[in-house]
Amino acid sequence: MKIKFLGTGGAFDIDYLNSAALLTFRGKCLLIDCGFTVYQTLVQKNFMHRVSHILITHLHNDHCGSLANLLLHKSIVEKAERPVILYPSEQFKNQLYEFLKVQVKDPDKYADFVPLEQFDGIRVVDTYGQHSEGLQTYAYIFEDEYRIVYSGDLGKPEALFDKLSRLPSLPTCVYHDITFNPENTGHTYYKKLLPYLNGVDMFGYHCDPTQNPPDNPIRLVFYQKDLMA
Ligand SMILES: [Zn+2]
Ligand SMILES: [Zn+2]
């Protein structure tokens, strides 16, 4: 299992590109999120052909804004097999489907929609309303020889860490969204993550790294060259 980030910025931090990652997992290459900068990054870095599966955390544009481009590219440019879009709930599948329908008319022509539970080793954490009121969001947990946690956008991390504390012990690396502004309630203020540092590796993403305060002990993905694609 290996994770490489395609970007680590927040929605407006375009210098750092939209937060998204490629995860090599159980022989597949999963794209986690496909915001509006991701299509371009995948093409420029020549990673597009590797993507076989897609997992979306929520439907904000910095997490799904270039998904239709990707699907069209796979079909028209690569003439590749349809990628698999893994979905964590029927309701979210319907939302994603409607979103794509406006853009590509017949989403089934461009992607296979498969329930996430059919893919072994991925746990879903429903974080509805914990990033933005009334918005469906998810965090994902990938388990193999160790555990990778991908928070998605999350302003209230308590439920995610509560869930983690009840899972069987396994070396765990948490990639968590982070904000350095205590007034930003859509994302997790770094000081709220400090109680959860024990026993896990943690890295912050979805931020402008230049705003990182000197007293923040959480390493940022952006500065970890081995975590960047
Ligand atoms: Zn975001
Ligand atoms: Zn968001």
Side-chain angles (χ1 to χ4, degrees):
M1 181 159 59
K2 201 172 70 182
I3 191 165
K4 295 278 184 188
F5 280 75
L6 298 163
T8 63
F12 310 110
D13 307 316
I14 51 166
D15 287 349
Y16 306 98
L17 307 178
N18 296 155
S19 288
L22 285 175
L23 180 73
T24 314
F25 184 61
R26 304 199 178 203
K28 309 287 185 201
C29 179
L30 268 79
L31 172 65
I32 309 172
D33 281 342
C34 192
F36 53 85
T37 69
V38 170
Y39 171 74
Q40 186 171 347
T41 305
L42 287 171
V43 172
Q44 284 172 341
K45 292 191 178 273
N46 198 23
F47 291 145
M48 182 66 88
H49 64 282
R50 293 199 204 162
V51 176
S52 62
H53 290 62
I54 299 157
L55 195 53
I56 300 292
T57 61
H58 64 299
L59 294 178
H60 276 157
N61 228 13
D62 59 318
H63 298 263
C64 67
S66 70
L67 181 56
N69 294 54
L70 181 153
L71 297 181
L72 291 170
H73 183 107
K74 286 271 181 198
S75 169
I76 296 165
V77 182
E78 272 182 29
K79 299 186 184 0
E81 263 183 61
R82 287 174 301 180
V84 171
I85 295 181
L86 297 167
Y87 62 88
S89 71
E90 285 300 321
Q91 191 213 14
F92 191 67
K93 184 220 164 160
N94 293 338
Q95 289 183 359
L96 194 51
Y97 200 86
E98 288 304 313
F99 167 76
L100 288 171
K101 215 166 122 185
V102 176
Q103 301 171 78
V104 303
K105 198 165 162 191
D106 180 7
D108 291 312
K109 197 175 147 194
Y110 301 99
D112 277 335
F113 291 83
V114 173
L116 183 63
E117 67 234 30
Q118 289 184 21
F119 197 102
D120 275 349
I122 308 178
R123 297 176 195 267
V124 58
V125 184
D126 187 335
T127 57
Y128 177 87
Q130 296 169 38
H131 163 50
S132 181
E133 198 184 332
L135 184 76
Q136 181 65 64
T137 43
Y138 295 100
Y140 296 108
I141 300 171
F142 306 89
E143 288 179 344
D144 216 342
E145 71 277 20
Y146 66 104
R147 183 178 283 139
I148 281 182
V149 180
Y150 195 91
S151 71
D153 286 2
L154 188 56
K156 300 184 181 74
E158 294 82 0
L160 173 61
F161 285 99
D162 181 58
K163 166 127 185 165
L164 282 178
S165 72
R166 287 182 283 109
L167 293 180
S169 140
L170 197 63
T172 297
C173 189
V174 178
Y175 299 96
H176 209 290
D177 80 327
I178 195 166
T179 179
F180 310 122
N181 175 4
E183 276 150 40
N184 182 341
T185 54
H187 301 283
T188 300
Y189 185 50
Y190 73 104
K191 289 187 177 173
K192 279 179 79 177
L193 288 169
L194 303 185
Y196 304 113
L197 285 173
N198 270 346
V200 302
D201 275 332
M202 197 184 300
F203 295 92
Y205 72 97
H206 205 285
C207 60
D208 174 349
T210 64
Q211 302 301 307
N212 193 15
D215 69 344
N216 175 22
I218 300 165
R219 291 163 290 176
L220 301 184
V221 170
F222 179 75
Y223 292 119
Q224 312 298 313
K225 289 304 156 208
D226 58 325
L227 290 177
M228 299 297 294

